[in-house]
Amino acid sequence: NKTLYDRLAGRGWDALVDYLEMTSQEYLFHSLHFVENHDEDRAQHIFGPEMHRQAAALIVTLPGAPLIHQGQMEGWREKLPVQIVRPRTVEHDDPALMAFYAKLLRIGSDPVFRAGRFYPFDSGIRGLVCFLREYKHRRVLVAFDFREGRALEATQGLLSIPRSLFDDLTPAEYRVRDLWTGEFQRPARLE
């Protein structure tokens, strides 16, 4: 899915939100998403360490298949065209990045991400890319603040989700668990 990659690499957040909203689920489910490959520069170089993690988390939680390129999880920086059998330089692995990927791939293997329905929405907050994933009556909100925390700063962490995504639920409080930390957050109120 080169279009997705180009939106990420070009930091076209509004275009990325539009793309996710306008692209059919069927197309996304049959796509291979990536943040680096043999034709592109390394994710560490293009995105930097923090955005690399966010971009990787995005491709793993989208419908479709994530492509993890040789050396991507280790944080390698040398571009490896297909003509090169082995790297020209010896690079040191980034243990923190490797731990991040191990956790991300464990979370991303959940059926909600591999088989669940996909509901992208425009949060109205520039730089915030959001969607819901749903599988067997379980819903997961996925939100990426590609502005390094500044996208949600103005809203004090509050996010408006279109009511149409919860039409089948009655107003009540729900327990919210952070999939990354495993911690339960204060109850969320659906109104």
Side-chain angles (χ1 to χ4, degrees), residues 38-74:
H38 65 280
D39 288 327
E40 307 296 342
D41 285 328
R42 291 295 194 158
Q44 286 288 84
H45 175 71
I46 293 296
F47 300 111
E50 186 57 36
M51 191 174 156
H52 171 181
R53 286 168 167 77
Q54 289 186 295
L58 176 69
I59 67 159
V60 167
T61 56
L62 284 174
L67 168 72
I68 307 298
H69 188 237
Q70 177 188 3
Q72 178 178 327
M73 294 188 298
E74 293 83 2

mmCIF file of all heavy atoms in Angstrom, residues 38-74:
data_model
loop_
_atom_site.group_PDB
_atom_site.id
_atom_site.type_symbol
_atom_site.label_atom_id
_atom_site.label_comp_id
_atom_site.label_asym_id
_atom_site.label_seq_id
_atom_site.Cartn_x
_atom_site.Cartn_y
_atom_site.Cartn_z
ATOM 1 N N HIS A 38 12.542 -2.610 0.492
ATOM 2 C CA HIS A 38 13.802 -2.542 -0.257
ATOM 3 C C HIS A 38 13.898 -1.318 -1.162
ATOM 4 O O HIS A 38 14.997 -0.927 -1.550
ATOM 5 C CB HIS A 38 13.999 -3.825 -1.077
ATOM 6 C CG HIS A 38 12.963 -3.994 -2.140
ATOM 7 N ND1 HIS A 38 11.700 -4.479 -1.862
ATOM 8 C CD2 HIS A 38 12.994 -3.723 -3.460
ATOM 9 C CE1 HIS A 38 10.999 -4.502 -2.978
ATOM 10 N NE2 HIS A 38 11.756 -4.057 -3.963
ATOM 11 N N ASP A 39 12.775 -0.692 -1.495
ATOM 12 C CA ASP A 39 12.790 0.486 -2.364
ATOM 13 C C ASP A 39 12.868 1.804 -1.595
ATOM 14 O O ASP A 39 13.240 2.821 -2.160
ATOM 15 C CB ASP A 39 11.518 0.533 -3.224
ATOM 16 C CG ASP A 39 11.509 -0.519 -4.311
ATOM 17 O OD1 ASP A 39 12.597 -0.837 -4.827
ATOM 18 O OD2 ASP A 39 10.419 -1.021 -4.637
ATOM 19 N N GLU A 40 12.474 1.794 -0.340
ATOM 20 C CA GLU A 40 12.394 3.032 0.451
ATOM 21 C C GLU A 40 13.537 3.097 1.456
ATOM 22 O O GLU A 40 14.114 2.084 1.827
ATOM 23 C CB GLU A 40 11.052 3.078 1.206
ATOM 24 C CG GLU A 40 9.826 2.890 0.349
ATOM 25 C CD GLU A 40 9.611 3.973 -0.683
ATOM 26 O OE1 GLU A 40 10.201 5.074 -0.558
ATOM 27 O OE2 GLU A 40 8.850 3.735 -1.642
ATOM 28 N N ASP A 41 13.825 4.312 1.912
ATOM 29 C CA ASP A 41 14.816 4.477 2.976
ATOM 30 C C ASP A 41 14.284 3.871 4.266
ATOM 31 O O ASP A 41 13.076 3.653 4.426
ATOM 32 C CB ASP A 41 15.141 5.957 3.186
ATOM 33 C CG ASP A 41 16.026 6.508 2.075
ATOM 34 O OD1 ASP A 41 16.846 5.739 1.539
ATOM 35 O OD2 ASP A 41 15.892 7.699 1.750
ATOM 36 N N ARG A 42 15.174 3.621 5.183
ATOM 37 C CA ARG A 42 14.824 2.991 6.455
ATOM 38 C C ARG A 42 13.882 3.862 7.283
ATOM 39 O O ARG A 42 13.948 5.096 7.266
ATOM 40 C CB ARG A 42 16.087 2.719 7.272
ATOM 41 C CG ARG A 42 16.972 1.633 6.695
ATOM 42 C CD ARG A 42 16.238 0.324 6.751
ATOM 43 N NE ARG A 42 17.140 -0.784 6.532
ATOM 44 C CZ ARG A 42 16.893 -2.001 6.917
ATOM 45 N NH1 ARG A 42 15.780 -2.307 7.538
ATOM 46 N NH2 ARG A 42 17.750 -2.967 6.674
ATOM 47 N N ALA A 43 13.002 3.206 8.033
ATOM 48 C CA ALA A 43 12.024 3.898 8.885
ATOM 49 C C ALA A 43 12.718 4.796 9.905
ATOM 50 O O ALA A 43 12.253 5.905 10.176
ATOM 51 C CB ALA A 43 11.123 2.889 9.581
ATOM 52 N N GLN A 44 13.822 4.341 10.477
ATOM 53 C CA GLN A 44 14.541 5.154 11.462
ATOM 54 C C GLN A 44 15.002 6.464 10.825
ATOM 55 O O GLN A 44 15.025 7.492 11.478
ATOM 56 C CB GLN A 44 15.752 4.402 12.022
ATOM 57 C CG GLN A 44 15.417 3.295 12.980
ATOM 58 C CD GLN A 44 14.933 3.790 14.323
ATOM 59 O OE1 GLN A 44 13.760 4.095 14.482
ATOM 60 N NE2 GLN A 44 15.817 3.854 15.290
ATOM 61 N N HIS A 45 15.368 6.413 9.559
ATOM 62 C CA HIS A 45 15.842 7.605 8.847
ATOM 63 C C HIS A 45 14.671 8.507 8.434
ATOM 64 O O HIS A 45 14.707 9.716 8.642
ATOM 65 C CB HIS A 45 16.667 7.184 7.624
ATOM 66 C CG HIS A 45 17.090 8.320 6.765
ATOM 67 N ND1 HIS A 45 18.054 9.223 7.149
ATOM 68 C CD2 HIS A 45 16.671 8.709 5.543
ATOM 69 C CE1 HIS A 45 18.213 10.126 6.199
ATOM 70 N NE2 HIS A 45 17.386 9.834 5.214
ATOM 71 N N ILE A 46 13.645 7.921 7.857
ATOM 72 C CA ILE A 46 12.505 8.694 7.342
ATOM 73 C C ILE A 46 11.662 9.289 8.467
ATOM 74 O O ILE A 46 11.259 10.447 8.421
ATOM 75 C CB ILE A 46 11.606 7.810 6.448
ATOM 76 C CG1 ILE A 46 12.344 7.411 5.178
ATOM 77 C CG2 ILE A 46 10.290 8.492 6.101
ATOM 78 C CD1 ILE A 46 12.701 8.559 4.256
ATOM 79 N N PHE A 47 11.387 8.489 9.493
ATOM 80 C CA PHE A 47 10.440 8.910 10.527
ATOM 81 C C PHE A 47 11.094 9.385 11.818
ATOM 82 O O PHE A 47 10.478 10.116 12.578
ATOM 83 C CB PHE A 47 9.481 7.757 10.861
ATOM 84 C CG PHE A 47 8.672 7.302 9.691
ATOM 85 C CD1 PHE A 47 8.891 6.062 9.110
ATOM 86 C CD2 PHE A 47 7.687 8.109 9.157
ATOM 87 C CE1 PHE A 47 8.143 5.632 8.031
ATOM 88 C CE2 PHE A 47 6.929 7.693 8.073
ATOM 89 C CZ PHE A 47 7.163 6.457 7.505
ATOM 90 N N GLY A 48 12.288 8.921 12.103
ATOM 91 C CA GLY A 48 12.882 9.188 13.414
ATOM 92 C C GLY A 48 12.356 8.160 14.405
ATOM 93 O O GLY A 48 11.366 7.483 14.144
ATOM 94 N N PRO A 49 13.021 8.026 15.558
ATOM 95 C CA PRO A 49 12.680 6.945 16.498
ATOM 96 C C PRO A 49 11.233 6.940 16.997
ATOM 97 O O PRO A 49 10.605 5.885 17.034
ATOM 98 C CB PRO A 49 13.649 7.171 17.660
ATOM 99 C CG PRO A 49 14.772 7.951 17.084
ATOM 100 C CD PRO A 49 14.182 8.789 15.992
ATOM 101 N N GLU A 50 10.677 8.079 17.367
ATOM 102 C CA GLU A 50 9.324 8.090 17.949
ATOM 103 C C GLU A 50 8.248 7.872 16.885
ATOM 104 O O GLU A 50 7.358 7.049 17.037
ATOM 105 C CB GLU A 50 9.065 9.386 18.714
ATOM 106 C CG GLU A 50 7.744 9.399 19.457
ATOM 107 C CD GLU A 50 7.571 8.241 20.448
ATOM 108 O OE1 GLU A 50 8.565 7.835 21.095
ATOM 109 O OE2 GLU A 50 6.448 7.733 20.555
ATOM 110 N N MET A 51 8.336 8.611 15.799
ATOM 111 C CA MET A 51 7.319 8.463 14.755
ATOM 112 C C MET A 51 7.433 7.091 14.079
ATOM 113 O O MET A 51 6.431 6.552 13.604
ATOM 114 C CB MET A 51 7.415 9.575 13.733
ATOM 115 C CG MET A 51 6.223 9.583 12.814
ATOM 116 S SD MET A 51 6.286 10.995 11.737
ATOM 117 C CE MET A 51 5.309 10.387 10.408
ATOM 118 N N HIS A 52 8.619 6.523 14.034
ATOM 119 C CA HIS A 52 8.795 5.165 13.512
ATOM 120 C C HIS A 52 7.891 4.218 14.275
ATOM 121 O O HIS A 52 7.185 3.392 13.693
ATOM 122 C CB HIS A 52 10.265 4.758 13.632
ATOM 123 C CG HIS A 52 10.540 3.323 13.340
ATOM 124 N ND1 HIS A 52 11.796 2.804 13.417
ATOM 125 C CD2 HIS A 52 9.749 2.274 12.979
ATOM 126 C CE1 HIS A 52 11.778 1.512 13.116
ATOM 127 N NE2 HIS A 52 10.535 1.176 12.862
ATOM 128 N N ARG A 53 7.873 4.346 15.602
ATOM 129 C CA ARG A 53 7.039 3.466 16.424
ATOM 130 C C ARG A 53 5.554 3.671 16.132
ATOM 131 O O ARG A 53 4.782 2.721 16.025
ATOM 132 C CB ARG A 53 7.334 3.708 17.904
ATOM 133 C CG ARG A 53 8.664 3.130 18.360
ATOM 134 C CD ARG A 53 9.040 3.644 19.761
ATOM 135 N NE ARG A 53 10.122 2.931 20.367
ATOM 136 C CZ ARG A 53 11.412 3.094 20.063
ATOM 137 N NH1 ARG A 53 11.765 3.961 19.130
ATOM 138 N NH2 ARG A 53 12.348 2.398 20.683
ATOM 139 N N GLN A 54 5.141 4.929 16.007
ATOM 140 C CA GLN A 54 3.731 5.207 15.716
ATOM 141 C C GLN A 54 3.330 4.682 14.344
ATOM 142 O O GLN A 54 2.258 4.090 14.184
ATOM 143 C CB GLN A 54 3.456 6.702 15.809
ATOM 144 C CG GLN A 54 3.494 7.226 17.230
ATOM 145 C CD GLN A 54 3.080 8.680 17.262
ATOM 146 O OE1 GLN A 54 3.753 9.542 16.718
ATOM 147 N NE2 GLN A 54 1.961 8.935 17.912
ATOM 148 N N ALA A 55 4.179 4.908 13.343
ATOM 149 C CA ALA A 55 3.874 4.436 11.992
ATOM 150 C C ALA A 55 3.794 2.908 11.972
ATOM 151 O O ALA A 55 2.909 2.334 11.327
ATOM 152 C CB ALA A 55 4.928 4.949 11.011
ATOM 153 N N ALA A 56 4.693 2.250 12.685
ATOM 154 C CA ALA A 56 4.662 0.783 12.760
ATOM 155 C C ALA A 56 3.383 0.311 13.443
ATOM 156 O O ALA A 56 2.746 -0.644 12.992
ATOM 157 C CB ALA A 56 5.891 0.268 13.502
ATOM 158 N N ALA A 57 2.998 0.978 14.532
ATOM 159 C CA ALA A 57 1.767 0.605 15.230
ATOM 160 C C ALA A 57 0.549 0.803 14.325
ATOM 161 O O ALA A 57 -0.386 0.001 14.345
ATOM 162 C CB ALA A 57 1.625 1.406 16.522
ATOM 163 N N LEU A 58 0.574 1.841 13.507
ATOM 164 C CA LEU A 58 -0.527 2.069 12.582
ATOM 165 C C LEU A 58 -0.650 0.911 11.597
ATOM 166 O O LEU A 58 -1.730 0.346 11.432
ATOM 167 C CB LEU A 58 -0.336 3.390 11.824
ATOM 168 C CG LEU A 58 -1.387 3.675 10.752
ATOM 169 C CD1 LEU A 58 -2.743 3.964 11.397
ATOM 170 C CD2 LEU A 58 -0.951 4.832 9.880
ATOM 171 N N ILE A 59 0.452 0.523 10.960
ATOM 172 C CA ILE A 59 0.343 -0.534 9.938
ATOM 173 C C ILE A 59 -0.032 -1.881 10.550
ATOM 174 O O ILE A 59 -0.671 -2.688 9.898
ATOM 175 C CB ILE A 59 1.616 -0.665 9.065
ATOM 176 C CG1 ILE A 59 2.801 -1.170 9.869
ATOM 177 C CG2 ILE A 59 1.921 0.643 8.348
ATOM 178 C CD1 ILE A 59 3.893 -1.790 9.035
ATOM 179 N N VAL A 60 0.332 -2.105 11.801
ATOM 180 C CA VAL A 60 0.006 -3.384 12.455
ATOM 181 C C VAL A 60 -1.459 -3.434 12.874
ATOM 182 O O VAL A 60 -2.057 -4.506 12.912
ATOM 183 C CB VAL A 60 0.948 -3.638 13.653
ATOM 184 C CG1 VAL A 60 0.473 -4.772 14.534
ATOM 185 C CG2 VAL A 60 2.367 -3.925 13.148
ATOM 186 N N THR A 61 -2.075 -2.300 13.145
ATOM 187 C CA THR A 61 -3.464 -2.280 13.620
ATOM 188 C C THR A 61 -4.480 -2.037 12.507
ATOM 189 O O THR A 61 -5.678 -2.108 12.755
ATOM 190 C CB THR A 61 -3.643 -1.236 14.738
ATOM 191 O OG1 THR A 61 -3.219 0.049 14.274
ATOM 192 C CG2 THR A 61 -2.844 -1.622 15.976
ATOM 193 N N LEU A 62 -4.014 -1.752 11.308
ATOM 194 C CA LEU A 62 -4.920 -1.579 10.165
ATOM 195 C C LEU A 62 -5.360 -2.945 9.634
ATOM 196 O O LEU A 62 -4.649 -3.939 9.800
ATOM 197 C CB LEU A 62 -4.218 -0.825 9.035
ATOM 198 C CG LEU A 62 -4.049 0.674 9.197
ATOM 199 C CD1 LEU A 62 -3.214 1.227 8.047
ATOM 200 C CD2 LEU A 62 -5.395 1.378 9.264
ATOM 201 N N PRO A 63 -6.500 -2.991 8.925
ATOM 202 C CA PRO A 63 -6.862 -4.226 8.232
ATOM 203 C C PRO A 63 -5.805 -4.513 7.174
ATOM 204 O O PRO A 63 -5.254 -3.587 6.575
ATOM 205 C CB PRO A 63 -8.197 -3.894 7.568
ATOM 206 C CG PRO A 63 -8.675 -2.646 8.182
ATOM 207 C CD PRO A 63 -7.489 -1.942 8.738
ATOM 208 N N GLY A 64 -5.520 -5.768 6.937
ATOM 209 C CA GLY A 64 -4.516 -6.130 5.947
ATOM 210 C C GLY A 64 -3.307 -6.737 6.628
ATOM 211 O O GLY A 64 -3.347 -7.090 7.805
ATOM 212 N N ALA A 65 -2.232 -6.842 5.878
ATOM 213 C CA ALA A 65 -1.017 -7.476 6.396
ATOM 214 C C ALA A 65 0.091 -6.447 6.556
ATOM 215 O O ALA A 65 0.362 -5.683 5.631
ATOM 216 C CB ALA A 65 -0.565 -8.569 5.447
ATOM 217 N N PRO A 66 0.733 -6.432 7.723
ATOM 218 C CA PRO A 66 1.888 -5.547 7.880
ATOM 219 C C PRO A 66 3.145 -6.220 7.341
ATOM 220 O O PRO A 66 3.362 -7.411 7.563
ATOM 221 C CB PRO A 66 1.975 -5.355 9.396
ATOM 222 C CG PRO A 66 1.387 -6.597 9.969
ATOM 223 C CD PRO A 66 0.348 -7.064 8.977
ATOM 224 N N LEU A 67 3.942 -5.467 6.610
ATOM 225 C CA LEU A 67 5.231 -5.955 6.141
ATOM 226 C C LEU A 67 6.300 -5.420 7.086
ATOM 227 O O LEU A 67 6.409 -4.211 7.283
ATOM 228 C CB LEU A 67 5.515 -5.450 4.720
ATOM 229 C CG LEU A 67 6.956 -5.654 4.223
ATOM 230 C CD1 LEU A 67 7.210 -7.132 3.941
ATOM 231 C CD2 LEU A 67 7.234 -4.818 2.999
ATOM 232 N N ILE A 68 7.047 -6.323 7.685
ATOM 233 C CA ILE A 68 8.169 -5.937 8.535
ATOM 234 C C ILE A 68 9.434 -6.322 7.768
ATOM 235 O O ILE A 68 9.704 -7.498 7.537
ATOM 236 C CB ILE A 68 8.120 -6.640 9.911
ATOM 237 C CG1 ILE A 68 6.761 -6.432 10.587
ATOM 238 C CG2 ILE A 68 9.261 -6.165 10.789
ATOM 239 C CD1 ILE A 68 6.392 -5.006 10.913
ATOM 240 N N HIS A 69 10.182 -5.336 7.368
ATOM 241 C CA HIS A 69 11.358 -5.529 6.521
ATOM 242 C C HIS A 69 12.563 -5.983 7.339
ATOM 243 O O HIS A 69 12.658 -5.685 8.542
ATOM 244 C CB HIS A 69 11.669 -4.197 5.827
ATOM 245 C CG HIS A 69 12.719 -4.254 4.786
ATOM 246 N ND1 HIS A 69 13.842 -3.481 4.843
ATOM 247 C CD2 HIS A 69 12.822 -4.976 3.650
ATOM 248 C CE1 HIS A 69 14.599 -3.722 3.789
ATOM 249 N NE2 HIS A 69 14.002 -4.625 3.046
ATOM 250 N N GLN A 70 13.468 -6.702 6.698
ATOM 251 C CA GLN A 70 14.679 -7.184 7.359
ATOM 252 C C GLN A 70 15.422 -6.023 8.028
ATOM 253 O O GLN A 70 15.757 -5.040 7.385
ATOM 254 C CB GLN A 70 15.602 -7.857 6.345
ATOM 255 C CG GLN A 70 16.911 -8.318 6.932
ATOM 256 C CD GLN A 70 17.889 -8.813 5.868
ATOM 257 O OE1 GLN A 70 17.609 -8.756 4.677
ATOM 258 N NE2 GLN A 70 19.022 -9.288 6.310
ATOM 259 N N GLY A 71 15.637 -6.150 9.337
ATOM 260 C CA GLY A 71 16.363 -5.134 10.091
ATOM 261 C C GLY A 71 15.496 -4.005 10.638
ATOM 262 O O GLY A 71 15.963 -3.182 11.422
ATOM 263 N N GLN A 72 14.230 -3.960 10.247
ATOM 264 C CA GLN A 72 13.337 -2.888 10.704
ATOM 265 C C GLN A 72 13.159 -2.924 12.216
ATOM 266 O O GLN A 72 13.229 -1.900 12.881
ATOM 267 C CB GLN A 72 11.984 -3.016 10.007
ATOM 268 C CG GLN A 72 10.950 -1.999 10.434
ATOM 269 C CD GLN A 72 9.646 -2.166 9.662
ATOM 270 O OE1 GLN A 72 9.643 -2.542 8.499
ATOM 271 N NE2 GLN A 72 8.543 -1.877 10.321
ATOM 272 N N MET A 73 12.914 -4.112 12.755
ATOM 273 C CA MET A 73 12.683 -4.238 14.203
ATOM 274 C C MET A 73 13.951 -3.966 14.994
ATOM 275 O O MET A 73 13.878 -3.601 16.161
ATOM 276 C CB MET A 73 12.160 -5.637 14.541
ATOM 277 C CG MET A 73 10.794 -5.907 13.968
ATOM 278 S SD MET A 73 10.053 -7.453 14.547
ATOM 279 C CE MET A 73 11.188 -8.672 13.966
ATOM 280 N N GLU A 74 15.089 -4.131 14.379
ATOM 281 C CA GLU A 74 16.364 -3.915 15.054
ATOM 282 C C GLU A 74 16.830 -2.464 14.968
ATOM 283 O O GLU A 74 17.811 -2.081 15.588
ATOM 284 C CB GLU A 74 17.436 -4.834 14.444
ATOM 285 C CG GLU A 74 17.207 -6.306 14.714
ATOM 286 C CD GLU A 74 16.228 -6.972 13.741
ATOM 287 O OE1 GLU A 74 15.739 -6.303 12.809
ATOM 288 O OE2 GLU A 74 15.943 -8.166 13.921
#
